[in-house]
Amino acid sequence: RFEKDAAVQREIQKSADEIQQLKNTASSLRGELESLRFEKDAAVQREIQKSADEIQQLKNTVSSLRGELEKFT
């Protein structure tokens, strides 16, 4: 009887340990996912800014070229 109770307790402890490991894994994966999401959002914002900068440069070029053209007309 004692050995059976001890075996049951060991299995219960093994299950509790496994549950804790799974919780830790889930928490770690959640953290990684959040970090990846943040990095992706930052990369998107950088690309948006690069596009806005390029658009502004092109507008400046167009404006400059128009100014030069007006000199000849």
Side-chain angles (χ1 to χ4, degrees):
R1 169 103 177 130
F2 176 76
E3 289 177 18
K4 186 176 181 183
D5 288 346
V8 168
Q9 288 301 317
R10 281 193 301 274
E11 289 303 313
I12 290 171
Q13 187 58 50
K14 280 174 54 177
S15 292
D17 291 346
E18 185 176 6
I19 288 169
Q20 188 58 50
Q21 289 174 357
L22 290 169
K23 285 181 178 181
N24 292 343
T25 299
S27 177
S28 176
L29 290 172
R30 204 172 290 120
E32 285 184 48
L33 184 60
E34 187 175 318
S35 178
L36 288 172
R37 190 174 297 133
F38 177 80
E39 289 174 19
K40 182 190 72 124
D41 289 347
V44 167
Q45 288 302 316
R46 283 192 300 273
E47 289 303 314
I48 289 171
Q49 187 59 52
K50 279 175 51 178
S51 293
D53 292 346
E54 186 176 5
I55 288 168
Q56 189 58 51
Q57 289 174 359
L58 290 169
K59 285 180 177 181
N60 293 343
T61 300
V62 166
S63 177
S64 175
L65 290 172
R66 276 190 186 137
E68 287 184 41
L69 229 125
E70 287 174 4
K71 290 178 188 176
F72 296 111
T73 58

